């Protein structure tokens, strides 16, 4: 590993707490309690994390608040378990404190403002090379809207604030990888987003994602938009007139991509090992098969950013927030994947 890569590997991973009224604080505390394979710090609210440690009866947790990463480093950069002593959770303070009486499981302006501030600060630190990657706990779209933040989710905020030209949402687990052409838009608007450029960009991002995962020669399948991938135009023209020519264009650039394939069978073929990733045309076409296989090991990755970002593939789970029963498995897998992708992208 080069000197630059070694330096990057020594940087901490930044974890954003997400919505304070959801399961994010609990997930973060559980993640630290079980121990982490690399240094990490949290962009979030110290009070919320302390309260989560309280209802989890994790009395050995020490939440430490810092104004920035330099202050954390100067304090000794403690994180995770320290032998048999307390477990330190360093928190970068970047928003107004969350009120101690904030109702759990409800959307709120204050939680939305906080979640947005945590993410923005993490993005800024990633862009300035102070953290190795961003791993995000879930935020709540209604809370964002109540706070006046007019973005439909993490992906759009990440793209805008980082200045990334083209980004893609990839969902993956042990059995399947999918990347979306269109993301958080109404189903009625999907056809107008099926353009030659969008298809080519999605295929290119799928190829890049596989390379970052260590797949040297990615095999990319593209799902059709219409039933039976249009069945030679009988059920729509997009598959013939737009998707197929885009695939041919990317084949000419040397990519191992094929399709469009019927959406009702391509995921089964990918699970069997025929393809490394499936490019899907809209949100539910790609996310339903991944989430059907279970969210515990699922990860959301934003591809095309100038840094690594991974996330849980579930929401804030307001119905169980504050009850101590949330499963942190997806956050742990997201953290571990961020470490692997970080090493891969540096090569």
């Amino acid at each position: 590993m080069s000197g630059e890569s070694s330096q990057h590997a020594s940087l901490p991973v930044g974890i954003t707490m997400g919505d304070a009224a959801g399961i994010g604080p609990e997930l973060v505390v559980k993640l630290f309690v079980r121990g982490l394979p690399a240094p990490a710090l949290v962009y979030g609210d110290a009070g919320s994390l302390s309260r989560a440690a309280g209802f989890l009866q994790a009395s050995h947790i020490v939440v430490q608040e810092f104004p920035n990463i330099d202050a954390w480093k100067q304090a000794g950069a403690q994180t995770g378990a320290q032998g048999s002593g307390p477990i330190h959770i360093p928190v970068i303070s970047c928003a107004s404190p969350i009120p101690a009486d904030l109702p759990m499981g409800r959307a709120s302006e204050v939680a939305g403002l906080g979640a947005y501030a945590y993410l923005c600060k993490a993005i800024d630190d990633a862009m300035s090379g102070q953290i190795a990657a961003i791993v995000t706990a879930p935020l709540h779209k209604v809370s964002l809207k109540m706070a006046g933040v007019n973005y439909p989710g993490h992906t759009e905020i990440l793209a805008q604030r980082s200045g990334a030209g083209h980004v893609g949402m990839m969902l993956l687990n042990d059995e399947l990888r999918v990347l979306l052409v269109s993301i958080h838009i109404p189903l009625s608007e999907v056809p107008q987003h099926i353009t030659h450029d969008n298809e080519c960009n999605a295929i290119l991002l799928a190829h890049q994602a596989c390379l970052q995962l260590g797949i040297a020669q990615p095999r990319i399948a593209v799902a059709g938009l219409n039933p039976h991938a249009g069945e030679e135009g009988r059920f729509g023209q997009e598959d013939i007139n737009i998707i197929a020519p885009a695939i041919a264009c990317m084949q000419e650039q040397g990519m191992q991509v094929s399709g469009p394939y019927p959406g009702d069978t391509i995921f089964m073929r990918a699970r069997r090992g025929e393809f490394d990733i499936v490019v899907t045309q809209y949100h539910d076409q790609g996310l339903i098969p991944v989430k059907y296989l279970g969210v515990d090991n699922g990860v959301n990755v934003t591809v095309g950013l100038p840094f690594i970002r991974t996330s849980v593939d579930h929401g804030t789970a307001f119905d169980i927030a504050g009850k101590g029963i949330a499963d942190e498995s997806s956050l742990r897998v997201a953290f571990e994947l961020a470490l692997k992708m970080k090493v891969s992208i540096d090569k």
Side-chain angles (χ1 to χ4, degrees), residues 12 18 25 39 52 61 71 88 105 126 135 175 182 185 187 189 251 253 278 283 299 314 330 341:
I61 289 290
H88 296 265
V135 179
E175 300 182 68
S182 62
I185 60 173
L187 189 58
E189 297 179 10
Q251 288 172 339
Q253 295 188 31
V278 180
H283 186 277
V299 179
H314 57 73
S330 181
M341 292 190 73

Side-chain angles (χ1 to χ4, degrees), residues 30 36 103 127 145 189 234 238 241 244 247 282 296 309:
K30 288 183 174 180
L36 293 170
M127 293 293 291
K145 186 176 181 180
E189 297 179 10
R234 183 179 179 185
E238 294 89 350
N241 295 337
I247 292 171
Y282 55 93
D296 291 350
R309 179 264 175 165

Side-chain angles (χ1 to χ4, degrees), residues 6-282:
S6 298
Q7 181 182 11
H8 193 258
S10 67
L11 296 174
V13 172
I15 304 170
T16 60
M17 190 185 77
D19 194 294
I23 60 174
E26 176 183 343
L27 298 180
V28 171
V29 170
K30 288 183 174 180
L31 188 69
F32 276 84
V33 166
R34 287 183 54 188
L36 293 170
L41 44 80
V42 180
Y43 295 84
D45 179 69
S48 297
L49 292 167
S50 294
R51 288 187 286 276
F55 68 69
L56 290 171
Q57 298 183 340
S59 59
H60 56 308
I61 289 290
V62 176
V63 178
Q64 298 174 292
E65 195 169 9
F66 301 95
N68 51 51
I69 293 179
D70 286 340
W72 171 65
K73 291 178 180 178
Q74 292 171 7
Q78 289 183 314
T79 183
Q82 306 294 319
S84 59
I87 294 174
H88 296 265
I89 301 182
V91 180
I92 302 300
S93 175
C94 49
S96 299
I98 298 294
D101 59 353
L102 179 76
M104 297 297 291
R106 296 183 191 176
S108 69
E109 177 183 354
V110 66
L113 283 171
Y116 181 64
Y118 313 148
L119 179 59
C120 288
K121 178 59 175 171
I123 293 169
D124 293 346
D125 284 353
M127 293 293 291
S128 63
Q130 296 188 79
I131 56 176
I134 299 176
V135 179
T136 60
L139 48 71
H140 198 273
K141 295 175 177 61
V142 175
S143 294
L144 288 181
K145 186 176 181 180
M146 292 173 70
V149 179
N150 296 314
Y151 293 94
H154 274 113
T155 304
E156 294 81 2
I157 298 171
L158 286 154
Q160 190 278 331
R161 195 168 184 90
S162 69
H166 298 287
V167 301
M169 177 188 289
M170 177 175 67
L171 273 290
L172 69 158
N173 55 30
D174 292 338
E175 300 182 68
L176 194 61
R177 304 178 191 91
V178 304
L179 187 136
L180 312 182
V181 174
S182 62
I183 307 177
H184 298 120
I185 60 173
L187 189 58
S188 61
E189 297 179 10
V190 168
Q192 58 192 280
H193 286 263
I194 305 305
T195 66
H196 180 85
D197 285 349
N198 286 347
E199 294 294 325
C200 290
N201 286 330
I203 294 168
L204 180 61
L205 289 169
H207 182 82
Q208 176 185 335
C210 287
L211 293 178
Q212 290 179 304
L213 291 168
I215 301 170
Q217 297 183 345
R219 299 165 300 163
I220 305 166
V222 179
L225 173 66
N226 298 294
H228 304 174
E231 200 167 293
E232 299 182 356
R234 183 179 179 185
F235 302 135
Q237 298 297 314
E238 294 89 350
D239 299 282
I240 291 177
N241 295 337
I242 301 172
I243 300 175
I247 292 171
C249 180
M250 302 311 284
Q251 288 172 339
E252 291 175 0
Q253 295 188 31
M255 295 185 190
Q256 194 171 336
V257 54
S258 58
Y261 297 108
D264 57 356
T265 57
I266 188 56
F267 302 104
M268 176 180 60
R269 294 174 63 183
R271 285 184 69 196
R272 290 175 176 173
E274 193 172 338
F275 302 101
D276 298 304
I277 192 168
V278 180
V279 172
T280 64
Q281 301 303 320
Y282 55 93

Side-chain angles (χ1 to χ4, degrees), residues 296-313:
D296 291 350
N297 293 316
V299 179
N300 180 341
V301 179
T302 305
V303 185
L305 295 170
F307 50 82
I308 297 298
R309 179 264 175 165
T310 66
S311 180
V312 296
D313 73 341

